[in-house]
């Protein structure tokens, strides 16, 4: 399953068609939200074989990661085929730099594919995150989502990530997080009308990275993509014509 629909559907960018241009730093793209992998891994002389294991892949490129970020991903739910990706970063925007030097912006998303492959991208989000605890809420028209994840905060795998001064050990993550996700439809009065997804897992990937997490650092925030901006970003833009007109794109 790629990004944005069922198997075989057109794959979309996590940042819409603007991802084809050098606007955001870094570029972040989910390549495969839910696949099945077979093969083997050898670690410190021990070889482990697997077949049809749920897998997820993404790619990031650019000169540096955001100043700070968090990430949650899971495709090992009770409901087979359900996959969830949450990500948030405080990033620079070169379009704003000439007018507002040093200004950063928060970008966040909560996105799911359900068991049938139907895609739920939540552009309006709020979060309360610290190492060991992630609470995220999102809205998409009359749909609401709540994601809650926890992990043992005493131990973590340290990950080296690109920063402005080179590769640094700037992220912590675990792959045994406890996670719950719930998606429901609401009425005009925000009353619960229909539960669409309600599932849990004990094998979620959870991560925080960048600055500000030391000593129990906590990040609370929100971001919103207005209706007009959503329409522009989701437009089916013929990028092939841009590539013909702009060499090197």
């Amino acid at each position: 399953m790629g990004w944005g629909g069922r198997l075989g559907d057109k794959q979309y960018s996590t940042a819409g068609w603007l991802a084809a241009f050098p606007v955001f730093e870094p570029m972040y793209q989910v390549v495969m939200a839910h696949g099945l992998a077979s093969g083997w891994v050898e670690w410190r002389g021990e070889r482990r074989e697997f077949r049809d294991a749920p897998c997820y892949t993404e790619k990031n490129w650019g000169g540096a990661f955001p100043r700070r970020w968090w990430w949650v991903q899971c495709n090992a739910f009770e409901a087979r085929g359900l996959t969830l990706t949450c990500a948030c970063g405080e990033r620079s925007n070169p379009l704003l730099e000439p007018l507002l030097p040093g200004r950063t912006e928060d970008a966040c998303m909560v996105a799911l594919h359900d068991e049938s492959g139907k895609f739920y991208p939540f552009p309006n989000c709020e979060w309360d995150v610290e190492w060991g605890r992630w609470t995220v809420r999102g809205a998409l028209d009359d749909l609401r989502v709540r994601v809650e994840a926890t992990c043992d905060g005493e131990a973590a795998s340290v990950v080296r990530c690109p920063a402005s001064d080179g590769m640094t050990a700037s992220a912590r993550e675990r792959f045994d997080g406890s996670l719950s996700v719930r998606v429901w439809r609401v009425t005009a009065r925000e009353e619960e009308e229909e539960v669409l997804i309600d599932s849990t897992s004990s094998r979620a990937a959870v991560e925080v990275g960048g600055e500000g997490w030391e000593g129990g650092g906590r990040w609370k925030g929100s971001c919103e993509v207005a209706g007009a901006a959503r329409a522009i970003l989701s437009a089916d833009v013929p990028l092939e014509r841009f590539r013909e007109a702009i060499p090197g794109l």
Side-chain angles (χ1 to χ4, degrees), residues 20-22 239 242-243 246-249:
F21 298 89
L239 292 174
F242 283 99
R243 292 191 178 97
I246 306 176
L249 181 62

Side-chain angles (χ1 to χ4, degrees), residues 66-70 90 127-132 168-172 207-220:
R67 190 181 77 84
R68 59 177 173 174
W69 71 90
W70 55 260
E90 182 185 345
W127 60 90
D128 184 356
V129 174
E130 57 188 329
W131 173 242
T168 61
S170 53
R172 289 178 287 174
E207 180 182 89
V208 301
E211 305 173 10
W213 303 105
E214 302 81 4
R218 184 177 178 184
W219 185 9
K220 297 179 67 175

Side-chain angles (χ1 to χ4, degrees), residues 14 30 38 46 55 59 96 103 109 112 116 143 151 171 186 199 228 239:
T14 53
V30 177
S38 299
E46 182 179 358
C55 67
K59 62 180 179 179
L96 299 178
R103 176 74 176 268
M109 70 170 186
L112 303 95
S116 70
L143 299 179
C151 75
V186 297
S199 193
L239 292 174

Side-chain angles (χ1 to χ4, degrees), residues 37-116:
S38 299
W40 56 270
V41 173
E42 185 170 327
W43 173 249
R44 294 180 177 178
E46 182 179 358
R47 178 172 171 139
R48 296 191 176 185
E49 298 184 356
F50 52 89
R51 178 176 295 276
D52 292 339
C55 67
Y56 162 92
T57 58
E58 66 176 49
K59 62 180 179 179
N60 300 271
W61 66 97
F65 271 26
R67 190 181 77 84
R68 59 177 173 174
W69 71 90
W70 55 260
W71 174 76
V72 176
Q73 198 282 327
C74 185
N75 53 10
F77 287 98
E78 298 167 337
R80 187 172 178 82
L82 175 63
T83 180
L84 163 74
T85 305
C86 305
C88 180
E90 182 185 345
R91 66 187 184 188
S92 61
N93 186 331
L95 297 180
L96 299 178
E97 187 65 25
L99 300 174
L100 301 168
R103 176 74 176 268
T104 61
E105 61 182 7
D106 295 339
C108 181
M109 70 170 186
V110 178
L112 303 95
H113 293 83
D114 67 14
E115 296 171 84
S116 70

